[in-house]
């Protein structure tokens, strides 16, 4: 009995776990936006651009630091070479080693380093604005896709309700046909209507599925097969932003919109580029320091001449005598490490000083660079003006669209109410035999279409108000 109880408990636990895992997560609008901002590919690419600008700032800081380079070389001279000790030409292998350290620092270069650092800071600000703008655009697209899903859900409910009503109507007409109260043609008409209802229901299901897939892909969601949104209903009440005038909304947008801030930052960056280019006209003063040392030695045999304790080297060979020519009383070139280290110590040298470079003629490269930077500056200024004009046009368009969407929604509600009353009247007339089932179905179809139009205009109005609020400085989402 105990084992049986444990088995039942285990199966119940497994079933509960399965049902819990089978539940599909219901996403809110805020969750969708935050997930999209964190995972969208376009946002990631824009974030990489911002990181590249940070590297450029590191380059600007590095220009203030001295340059230091350590160099070294080692060479072999094989064949007829001059003996570095005797000056005689001999067949020998001579090795040379040299090492050195060079240090340089810019003292003055037309303030180019300072302007490059200021430019890098401005470029970072501009990159952050552009990243924010990309996040706002994605958030707006997500909100539109989310509202489209809500519309498709409600539209599917309307189609399902219509299908259920027509099925009930068919059952009733079947009874009336069997009783001889209505002709059999009415039954055929209602069956055709049900077939059309099924087609509309399938189309609504497909539209809902596609809208879910579109939002899931926009969010870069991998498990899009199980993606779904919460069945939240957004109120269609008027927003306070509709109480503002278009000029007031535009004035607020000029202060808050990210695209204008980014365009202004681009202008400031271009101004720094002009200063950097002009800095090349000025003299460049730099300081330098150099340290070098060297050592040289050959591969000839070094030893001690007979009956002598002094170090010698073989410097020649007397042909036909089998005798070497020795030189005495000098430090050997090749031997233990100490003599080589002594050469490095004896041959070391230092040099330092200032270098002044005054540009006179460089093929107009400096002049052309200045002209190019001026053209780029003018381009950014014109771009800023264009963005201001675009913003003004977009604000007035959004305001007009929102007002028009509100009127369309009010008209759709009035039309739907009228169609509902007309449908009620048609049902009453059908009950007393004044109209046939075809006329009743027509009234029903018009009523359903009116309900769908209410839904469409409702979510269209909500989204267009969102856009208007967006220009007024009300964010689509709050960053986590």
């Amino acid at each position: 009995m105990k084992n049986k109880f444990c088995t039942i408990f285990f199966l119940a636990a497994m079933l509960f776990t399965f049902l819990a895992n089978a539940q599909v997560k219901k996403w809110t609008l805020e969750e969708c936006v935050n997930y999209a901002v964190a995972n969208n590919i376009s946002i990631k690419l824009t974030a990489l651009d911002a990181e590249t600008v940070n590297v450029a700032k590191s380059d600007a800081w590095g220009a203030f630091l001295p340059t230091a380079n350590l160099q070294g070389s080692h060479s072999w001279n094989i064949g007829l070479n001059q003996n570095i000790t005797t000056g005689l030409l001999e067949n020998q292998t001579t090795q040379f080693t040299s090492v050195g350290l060079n240090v340089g620092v810019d003292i003055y270069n037309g303030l180019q380093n300072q302007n490059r650092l200021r430019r890098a800071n401005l470029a970072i600000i501009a990159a952050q604005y552009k990243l924010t703008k990309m996040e706002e655009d994605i958030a707006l697209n997500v909100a539109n896709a989310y509202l489209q899903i809500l519309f498709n859900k409600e539209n599917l409910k309307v189609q399902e309700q219509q299908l259920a009503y027509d099925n009930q109507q068919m059952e009733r007409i079947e009874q009336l046909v069997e009783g001889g109260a209505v002709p059999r043609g009415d039954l055929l008409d209602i069956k055709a209507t049900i077939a059309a209802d099924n087609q509309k229901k399938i189309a609504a299901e497909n539209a809902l599925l596609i809208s879910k897939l579109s939002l899931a892909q926009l969010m870069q969601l991998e498990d899009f097969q199980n993606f779904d949104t919460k069945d939240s209903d957004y109120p269609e009440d008027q927003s306070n932003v509709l109480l503002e005038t278009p000029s007031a909304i535009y004035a607020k947008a000029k202060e808050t919109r990210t695209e204008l801030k980014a365009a202004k930052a681009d202008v400031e960056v271009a101004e720094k580029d002009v200063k950097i280019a002009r800095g090349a006209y000025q003299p460049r003063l730099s300081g330098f320091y150099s340290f070098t040392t060297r050592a040289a030695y050959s591969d000839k045999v070094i030893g001690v001449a007979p009956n002598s304790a002094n170090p010698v080297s073989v410097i020649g060979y007397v042909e036909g005598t089998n005798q070497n020519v020795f030189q005495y009383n000098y430090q050997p070139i090749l031997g233990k490490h100490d003599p080589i280290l002594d050469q490095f110590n004896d041959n070391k040298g230092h040099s330092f000083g200032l270098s002044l470079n005054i540009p006179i003629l460089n093929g107009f490269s400096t002049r052309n660079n200045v002209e190019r930077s001026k053209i780029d500056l003018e381009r950014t200024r014109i771009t800023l003006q264009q963005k201001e004009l675009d913003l003004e046009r977009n604000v007035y368009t959004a305001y007009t669209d929102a007002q028009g969407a509100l009127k369309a929604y009010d008209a759709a509600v009035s039309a739907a109410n009228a169609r509902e009353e007309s449908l009620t009247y048609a049902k009453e007339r059908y009950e007393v035999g004044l109209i046939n089932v075809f006329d009743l179905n027509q009234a029903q179809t018009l009523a359903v279409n009116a309900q769908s139009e209410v839904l469409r205009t409702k979510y269209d109005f909500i989204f267009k108000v969102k856009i208007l609020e967006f220009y007024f400085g009300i964010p689509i989402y709050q960053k986590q």
Side-chain angles (χ1 to χ4, degrees):
M1 185 71 179
K2 182 178 180 181
N3 293 335
K4 184 178 180 181
F5 175 80
C6 293
T7 302
I8 295 175
F9 178 79
F10 176 77
L11 293 176
M14 291 291 293
L15 179 61
F16 176 80
T17 303
F18 173 77
L19 293 176
N21 293 331
Q23 290 181 349
V24 178
K25 173 179 173 56
K26 301 286 187 177
W27 293 71
T28 64
L29 175 58
E30 183 178 1
E31 290 175 338
C32 290
V33 171
N34 287 325
Y35 190 90
V37 169
N39 296 275
N40 185 266
I41 291 179
S42 298
I43 293 179
K44 289 182 178 181
L45 292 175
T46 307
L48 290 178
D49 294 337
E51 293 182 14
T52 302
V53 175
N54 288 326
V55 176
K57 181 178 180 180
S58 179
D59 290 337
W61 273 117
F64 287 97
L65 301 177
T67 60
N69 297 288
L70 185 64
Q71 62 186 26
S73 66
H74 185 85
S75 63
W76 289 262
N77 296 324
I78 302 174
L80 187 62
N81 294 300
Q82 186 179 30
N83 190 297
I84 62 175
T85 303
T86 66
L88 299 177
L89 293 176
E90 303 176 16
N91 284 317
Q92 61 179 347
T93 298
T94 305
Q95 300 186 48
F96 293 90
T97 300
S98 65
V99 294
L101 173 67
N102 296 319
V103 178
V105 60
D106 285 333
I107 299 175
Y108 181 79
N109 65 344
L111 301 179
Q112 287 183 318
N113 290 343
Q114 291 84 345
N115 286 324
R116 286 192 180 98
L117 180 58
R118 296 188 185 102
R119 182 197 185 281
N121 290 327
L122 292 172
I124 290 175
I125 295 174
Q128 289 297 327
Y129 283 144
K130 292 172 184 177
L131 177 59
T132 302
K133 178 64 169 60
M134 179 61 68
E135 292 174 348
E136 291 172 348
D137 291 343
I138 294 299
L140 197 62
N141 292 336
V142 168
N144 185 25
Y146 192 91
L147 293 175
Q148 184 65 39
I149 291 176
L150 297 185
F151 162 71
N152 289 331
K153 282 186 174 182
E154 292 199 23
N155 186 56
L156 177 59
K157 290 179 182 178
V158 170
Q159 302 302 330
E160 289 174 342
Q161 291 172 359
Q162 172 66 19
L163 178 61
Y165 170 80
D166 287 339
N167 281 323
Q168 294 176 356
Q169 189 74 4
M170 183 183 67
E171 294 176 359
R172 185 171 180 274
I173 291 176
E174 285 178 343
Q175 296 175 357
L176 294 175
V177 169
E178 291 177 359
V182 296
R184 182 169 294 274
D186 287 359
L187 181 59
L188 298 177
D189 286 338
I190 193 63
K191 288 183 177 181
T193 300
I194 290 176
D197 291 342
N198 278 313
Q199 290 180 342
K200 293 178 181 180
K201 177 176 175 291
I202 293 173
E205 290 174 343
N206 292 335
L208 176 59
L209 177 60
I210 292 174
S211 62
K212 288 181 179 180
L213 292 178
S214 298
L215 179 54
Q217 291 177 351
L218 184 62
M219 295 167 56
Q220 307 299 141
L221 190 66
E222 295 181 358
D223 187 20
F224 58 86
Q225 293 88 350
N226 296 322
F227 174 75
D228 197 6
T229 60
K230 284 191 174 181
D231 298 332
S232 303
D233 189 25
Y234 283 80
E236 62 274 9
D237 298 335
Q238 291 190 22
S239 172
N240 292 331
V241 73
L242 292 176
L243 303 177
E244 302 287 342
T245 63
S247 58
I249 297 175
Y250 173 62
K252 184 68 177 294
K254 288 184 67 175
E255 298 176 359
T256 59
R257 288 306 308 134
T258 307
E259 60 266 29
L260 290 189
K261 294 179 180 179
K264 291 176 182 178
D266 287 339
V267 172
E268 294 178 349
V269 169
E271 290 173 347
K272 293 301 178 184
D273 286 335
V274 174
K275 291 183 178 181
I276 293 171
R278 284 176 174 169
Y281 281 124
Q282 301 185 32
R284 178 175 182 177
L285 179 63
S286 58
F288 64 88
Y289 167 78
S290 176
F291 168 79
T292 59
T293 185
R294 65 188 183 278
Y297 44 95
S298 78
D299 290 343
K300 276 187 169 295
V301 177
I302 295 176
V304 179
N307 303 321
S308 174
N310 295 321
V312 297
S313 67
V314 178
I315 62 173
Y317 176 77
V318 180
E319 186 175 357
T321 63
N322 291 327
Q323 294 180 353
N324 290 325
V325 180
F326 296 92
Q327 178 169 328
Y328 298 86
N329 300 323
Y330 74 100
Q331 183 68 35
I333 300 174
L334 180 61
K336 297 182 180 179
H337 293 291
D338 290 340
I340 299 176
L341 296 179
D342 290 341
Q343 288 193 57
F344 282 122
N345 185 60
D346 295 338
N347 294 328
K348 64 185 178 182
H350 306 268
S351 65
F352 55 89
L354 299 175
S355 174
L356 180 63
N357 183 18
I358 301 176
I360 297 177
L361 182 64
N362 54 10
F364 303 110
S365 62
T366 301
R367 174 182 175 276
N368 292 337
N369 287 335
V370 172
E371 291 302 318
R372 275 191 289 266
S373 61
K374 286 182 179 179
I375 294 173
D376 291 339
L377 173 59
E378 187 63 23
R379 182 180 291 109
T380 57
R381 288 172 175 170
I382 294 174
T383 300
L384 174 59
Q385 295 175 1
Q386 184 63 52
K387 287 186 178 296
E388 289 177 346
L389 293 175
D390 292 342
L391 179 62
E392 183 178 21
R393 183 183 66 254
N394 292 337
V395 167
Y396 276 83
T397 301
Y399 185 85
T400 303
D401 290 344
Q403 293 287 356
L406 177 59
K407 294 178 181 179
Y409 173 70
D410 291 338
V413 171
S414 299
N417 293 334
R419 289 298 180 187
E420 191 65 30
E421 292 178 1
S422 177
L423 176 61
T424 301
Y425 181 63
K427 290 178 181 179
E428 293 174 353
R429 297 182 66 191
Y430 179 77
E431 293 292 337
V432 296
L434 295 179
I435 61 174
N436 56 27
V437 70
F438 177 79
D439 295 331
L440 177 62
N441 290 337
Q442 286 293 103
Q444 179 70 23
T445 300
L446 292 175
V448 172
N449 292 338
Q451 293 180 24
S452 298
E453 184 65 11
V454 169
L455 295 176
R456 188 194 66 79
T457 55
K458 169 186 173 181
Y459 286 105
D460 181 62
F461 168 67
I462 291 174
F463 179 66
K464 288 178 177 176
V465 169
K466 284 284 185 182
I467 295 177
L468 197 60
E469 292 176 342
F470 181 64
Y471 287 123
F472 195 62
I474 301 176
I476 298 293
Y477 78 108
Q478 299 294 336
K479 285 187 177 182
Q480 289 183 344

